[in-house]
């Protein structure tokens, strides 16, 4: 089940580059507040890994604040696109690949929401192992209950697992993380509710 979920969702991104790139490139609203709060914790020479960089909006924003970011994606189409934008980008599948490290921050905006609970637990363990002592994991997921497949935005089906605050807190605690920031908010580019987390 997990393998099929990951494979099908990744294929949607491989085939949906042009549609996805129509996304608003502004960093605003609760998303901006969360990213800025994450960066405020770090030293200027912090080592940052971004997982699921897509078209690079968030990585570019962090770089504009003076940080060096390792930009990655699991979709060949997005890595190729990022490289055409004169940006170094690497292939990285957080489920199957070694993450390297140690990092001061691992950043994953709208990535964990594509994993089942079991795969999320697996990924959290890998991320925790890749962090320096005191390092942070900043990520976002959609607010809601249960899971579903949707073709919204890409016209190719993607798996979404929704989260409510308390189950997410418990998941992170069980994975050995301490939560320093967890807020509900909007992305600034649509009306979906999100949970923005620093752990």
């Amino acid at each position: 089940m997990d393998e099929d979920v990951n494979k099908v969702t990744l294929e949607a991104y491989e085939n949906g580059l042009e549609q996805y790139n129509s996304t608003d490139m502004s960093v605003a609203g609760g998303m901006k507040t969360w990213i800025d709060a994450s960066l405020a914790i770090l030293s200027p020479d912090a080592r940052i890994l971004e997982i699921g960089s897509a078209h690079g909006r968030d990585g570019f924003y962090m770089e504009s604040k003076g940080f060096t970011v390792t930009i990655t994606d699991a979709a060949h189409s997005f890595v190729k696109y990022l490289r055409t934008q004169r940006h170094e980008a690497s292939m990285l599948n957080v489920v199957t690949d070694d993450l390297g490290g140690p990092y001061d921050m691992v950043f994953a905006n709208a990535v964990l929401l594509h994993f089942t609970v079991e795969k999320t637990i697996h990924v959290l363990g890998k991320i925790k192992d890749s962090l320096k002592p005191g390092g942070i994991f900043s990520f976002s997921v959609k607010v809601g209950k249960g899971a579903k497949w949707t073709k919204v935005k890409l016209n190719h089906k993607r798996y979404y697992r929704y989260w409510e605050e308390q189950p997410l807190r418990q998941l992170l605690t069980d994975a050995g993380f301490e939560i320093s920031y967890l807020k509900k908010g909007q992305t600034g580019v649509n009306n979906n509710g999100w949970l923005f987390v620093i752990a």
Side-chain angles (χ1 to χ4, degrees):
M1 171 66 174
D2 277 1
E3 183 178 354
D4 290 342
V5 164
N6 296 332
K7 181 180 178 182
V8 172
T9 301
L10 188 54
E11 285 176 352
Y13 285 104
E14 289 285 13
N15 297 311
L17 174 68
E18 291 186 7
Q19 287 174 302
Y20 193 86
N21 277 359
S22 65
T23 301
D24 189 332
M25 288 291 284
S26 62
V27 175
M31 178 172 60
K32 182 180 185 302
T33 301
W34 157 64
I35 295 176
D36 288 345
S38 301
L39 297 177
I41 297 170
L42 304 175
S43 63
D45 61 348
R47 189 176 181 197
I48 300 172
L49 170 68
E50 182 182 21
I51 296 167
S53 300
H55 47 36
R57 178 195 62 203
D58 301 338
F60 298 160
Y61 176 78
M62 289 187 282
E63 288 183 335
S64 76
K65 300 298 182 180
F67 291 91
T68 300
V69 184
T70 299
I71 289 181
T72 72
D73 205 276
H76 290 86
S77 59
F78 281 103
V79 171
K80 183 177 179 181
Y81 169 78
L82 287 163
R83 290 173 178 169
T84 67
Q85 303 303 301
R86 300 180 184 177
H87 199 92
E88 290 185 16
S90 301
M91 288 293 304
L92 182 69
N93 186 319
V94 68
V95 174
T96 60
D97 295 341
D98 178 50
L99 303 187
Y103 303 105
D104 296 281
M105 178 170 78
V106 174
F107 180 87
N109 191 3
V111 176
L112 265 61
L113 54 81
H114 292 309
F115 302 141
T116 62
V117 175
E118 293 77 15
K119 197 62 70 179
T120 301
I121 292 169
H122 168 72
V123 168
L124 285 174
K126 292 182 70 174
I127 290 171
K128 188 171 186 298
D129 289 343
S130 76
L131 289 169
K132 293 179 181 179
I136 62 173
F137 177 36
S138 293
F139 70 97
S140 66
V141 291
K142 285 179 177 284
V143 176
K145 295 182 178 180
K148 72 175 182 180
W149 290 93
T150 179
K151 288 187 176 181
V152 171
K153 192 173 179 179
L154 293 190
N155 295 327
H156 300 280
K157 68 178 184 177
R158 294 179 289 168
Y159 175 87
Y160 279 86
R161 175 64 167 83
Y162 298 90
W163 288 93
E164 294 182 301
E165 182 175 336
Q166 192 52 46
L168 185 61
R169 284 184 178 276
Q170 188 62 56
L171 185 81
L172 289 166
T173 298
D174 291 346
F177 285 95
E178 295 180 7
I179 300 168
S180 62
Y181 181 108
L182 195 159
K183 293 186 178 181
K184 286 185 178 181
Q186 309 297 325
T187 62
V189 298
N190 58 41
N191 293 319
N192 294 323
W194 292 81
L195 289 170
F196 300 108
V197 184
I198 304 173

